Amino acid sequence: MTELAVRNRRAAAIAVLIALGMVALGFASVPLYRIFCQATGLNGTTSRVSEADVPKLASAATVMVRFDANVHPDLPWSFRPEKPLQQVHIGERNMAFFVAKNLSSRPITGRATFNVQPDQAGSWFKKIQCFCFTEQTLQPGEEVRMPVIFFVEPGMREDADAKDIQQITLSYTFYPVDSPAKGG
């Protein structure tokens, strides 16, 4: 085999490896981005924490939390917060409820995505428990109350980018889960 043929094969092998690496990176990018956003609060992504992470002492400072509920057009559910606005003490464990109802005549599974606005509040808004952590299956006509347990970290008032935030919006959108086995 000539030296030129060896170099061409080597170049082709490198090109194939680069292409395979790019495909692998494409598949890995979504979960890696999600992990990065949860760790940093980027784009209003909240962190999931345990009950042990709730501060021992709440602040006298308060912030308004607005709850927003949306449903994808392909999901025949109604979805709303029980109380759209709640004043909370920073550092205090809080609970809010959302109500979802299946308006169809068949069981449907949905999954909620969430976001916090303004973006600067995302890293300070912590969820202990949320219906958005798992899929929700509702039977025909079934209505359920779903809790969100959360707190706002006290350090928010010392953050130059977040200290002046007076209102935080926690927004959810429910989407159908495209799984025939689950009735969605």
Side-chain angles (χ1 to χ4, degrees):
M1 188 179 298
T2 67
E3 187 179 327
L4 181 59
V6 170
R7 283 192 295 183
N8 284 344
R9 282 189 181 185
R10 187 179 308 137
I14 291 171
V16 167
L17 287 174
I18 290 172
L20 289 174
M22 296 300 280
V23 168
L25 184 60
F27 281 105
S29 64
V30 171
L32 290 174
Y33 182 72
R34 185 178 303 123
I35 290 167
F36 175 77
C37 287
Q38 287 176 343
T40 63
L42 185 68
N43 291 328
T45 304
T46 64
S47 297
R48 183 177 182 174
V49 297
S50 73
E51 195 76 44
D53 295 316
V54 177
K56 303 297 180 232
L57 196 57
S59 168
T62 62
V63 65
M64 293 299 290
V65 179
R66 188 174 77 81
F67 301 101
D68 179 51
N70 304 283
V71 178
H72 187 273
D74 293 339
L75 184 66
W77 284 11
S78 65
F79 177 53
R80 63 177 174 76
E82 275 189 348
K83 188 176 174 186
L85 201 58
Q86 190 174 334
Q87 186 168 9
V88 302
H89 286 274
I90 294 177
E92 182 177 66
R93 178 186 177 277
N94 297 278
M95 185 182 306
F97 285 94
F98 285 76
V99 178
K101 183 174 183 177
N102 181 351
L103 303 174
S104 78
S105 59
R106 62 186 173 88
I108 297 180
T109 301
R111 182 166 191 114
T113 61
F114 57 87
N115 199 338
V116 173
Q117 291 295 321
D119 287 343
Q120 305 90 312
S123 61
W124 301 108
F125 196 95
K126 307 295 181 184
K127 290 187 198 174
I128 300 165
Q129 180 183 334
C130 182
F131 58 87
C132 61
F133 296 156
T134 59
E135 294 177 352
Q136 305 296 320
T137 300
L138 299 182
Q139 298 304 313
E142 181 181 15
E143 182 174 284
V144 295
R145 289 178 75 219
M146 301 177 293
V148 177
I149 301 173
F150 67 93
F151 66 94
V152 178
E153 278 196 35
M156 184 175 95
R157 290 298 180 217
E158 283 83 46
D159 181 345
D161 294 328
K163 67 180 180 182
D164 295 326
I165 293 174
Q166 298 302 312
Q167 181 171 296
I168 297 172
T169 300
L170 177 60
S171 181
Y172 290 98
T173 302
F174 255 107
Y175 291 89
V177 174
D178 298 321
S179 173
K182 295 192 178 182

